[in-house]
């Protein structure tokens, strides 16, 4: 891992079009300003890991389970009237 | 085109129905092309099936059916990236997991919804930074619902 020391308001450049600026330093926190092209995803690692885990878990769903859920909403449509019909999609 | 899938056999997918995810899905970054496959008789649920990996299919739900107060704010850069011109173009789904294999213990990831532009056929999984939404939100907090019971509080 490359380790660089930077002060407040100093910036790093990664590649041609990503910059990271140190906006503030507190005893146990730094504030970073990141500028990158829209196709470059930027996530907090713990959030990224949680969503990755959720996606991997979601990829293990089986058809039978989906059909079981499907039965409920069909009945639910009768039970709660028009509400399901107002969905945004 | 005809696509081989592990769950649904051979599926005929019209070219215009393929959805392009430039960044893939989080954890599946190399998967760029998907299509939606219906859950029989229930439009609230859809499978997101990878075009190139037959075994990759993720169950999606229309979160607004279950959580009417759910809010997804689309950033300007996302509007640009997915070429979203009007709200009618946009469909939002969240993924469903079955942590213990029981359908009524299903959870959905409200923190990382999947946004699809139906017109441009571009999609992206986004992260709702700064919200308190969970990646494991129970669809049925009290287990198997009675017919009169609503899901998601």
């Amino acid at each position: 891992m490359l380790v660089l020391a930077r002060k407040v308001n100093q910036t790093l450049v990664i590649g041609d079009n990503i910059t990271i600026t140190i906006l503030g330093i507190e005893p146990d926190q730094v504030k970073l300003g990141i500028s990158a092209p829209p196709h470059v995803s930027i996530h907090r690692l713990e959030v990224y890991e949680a969503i990755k885990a959720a996606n991997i878990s979601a990829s293990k769903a089986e058809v039978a389970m989906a059909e079981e859920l499907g039965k409920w909403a069909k009945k639910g449509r009768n039970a709660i009237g028009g509400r399901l019909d107002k969905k945004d999609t | 085109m005809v696509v081989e899938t592990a769950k649904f056999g051979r599926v005929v997918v019209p070219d215009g129905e393929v959805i392009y995810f430039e960044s893939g899905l989080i954890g599946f970054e190399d998967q760029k092309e998907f299509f939606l496959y219906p859950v029989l008789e229930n439009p609230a649920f859809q499978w997101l099936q990878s075009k190139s990996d037959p075994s990759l299919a993720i169950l999606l739900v229309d979160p607004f059916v279950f959580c009417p107060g759910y809010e997804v704010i689309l950033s300007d850069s996302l509007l640009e990236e997915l070429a979203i011109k009007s709200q009618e173009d946009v469909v939002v789904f969240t993924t469903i997991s079955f942590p213990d294999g029981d359908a009524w213990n299903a959870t959905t990831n409200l923190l990382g919804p999947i946004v699809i532009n139906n017109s441009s056929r571009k999609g992206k999984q986004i992260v709702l930074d700064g919200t308190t939404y969970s990646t494991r939100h129970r669809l049925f907090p009290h287990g198997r619902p009675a017919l009169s019971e609503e899901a998601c509080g």
Side-chain angles (χ1 to χ4, degrees):
Chain A
M1 183 189 289
L2 173 68
V3 178
L4 297 170
R6 296 270 69 190
K7 293 179 176 167
V8 172
N9 292 328
Q10 292 187 328
T11 298
L12 292 171
V13 183
I14 300 174
D16 288 337
N17 44 23
I18 298 173
T19 64
I20 301 177
T21 303
I22 311 302
L23 298 177
I25 301 174
E26 290 166 34
D28 61 350
Q29 202 177 43
V30 291
K31 277 209 173 76
L32 305 174
I34 303 167
S35 162
H39 68 269
V40 176
S41 303
I42 301 163
H43 303 294
R44 292 173 176 83
L45 180 65
E46 63 275 20
V47 173
Y48 175 88
E49 295 288 354
I51 290 177
K52 182 174 170 180
N55 280 351
I56 289 170
S57 170
S59 71
K60 295 178 177 145
E62 288 168 19
V63 171
M65 298 170 196
E67 287 178 353
E68 183 75 6
L69 279 190
K71 285 184 207 160
W72 174 76
K74 215 173 139 193
K75 291 170 190 163
R77 190 185 300 265
N78 296 330
I80 61 177
R83 187 160 177 177
L84 286 180
D85 296 327
K86 285 195 291 184
K87 67 194 184 68
D88 291 354
T89 54
Chain B
M1 81 209 72
V2 176
V3 180
E4 296 287 345
T5 71
K7 286 189 172 67
F8 321 114
R10 304 182 81 188
V11 178
V12 177
V13 183
D15 283 345
E17 304 234 325
V18 173
I19 304 161
Y20 187 72
F21 287 73
E22 187 175 5
S23 321
L25 298 182
I26 295 171
F28 298 100
E29 280 81 2
D30 56 336
Q31 299 293 322
K32 312 282 190 194
E33 291 186 304
F34 291 83
F35 59 92
L36 294 173
Y37 189 84
V39 172
L40 285 180
E41 297 181 58
N42 198 328
F45 301 96
Q46 306 268 337
W47 290 98
L48 187 66
Q49 167 72 53
S50 164
K51 212 183 102 183
S52 57
D53 180 352
S55 65
L56 180 60
I58 290 180
L59 183 62
L60 304 179
V61 63
D62 174 345
F64 304 107
V65 170
F66 284 85
C67 309
Y70 183 50
E71 242 185 21
V72 177
I73 292 170
L74 308 178
S75 68
D76 288 345
S77 66
L78 184 76
L79 296 181
E80 194 179 325
E81 190 179 341
L82 299 187
I84 294 167
K85 300 209 164 50
S86 92
Q87 199 175 334
E88 284 73 50
D89 293 343
V90 182
V91 193
V92 175
F93 291 107
T94 53
T95 61
I96 289 185
S97 299
F98 300 98
D100 61 0
D102 182 337
W104 308 108
N105 290 335
T107 63
T108 192
N109 175 6
L110 296 179
L111 186 63
I114 290 172
V115 180
I116 294 171
N117 180 347
N118 249 332
S119 298
S120 67
R121 309 302 291 176
K122 290 181 181 178
K124 187 180 175 77
Q125 184 168 34
I126 63 172
V127 177
L128 300 181
D129 265 325
T131 69
T132 56
Y133 288 128
S134 163
T135 57
R136 285 178 288 202
H137 182 93
R138 285 193 69 167
L139 280 184
F140 304 97
H142 310 295
R144 189 186 182 104
L147 289 188
S148 59
E149 189 182 344
E150 291 181 24
C152 210

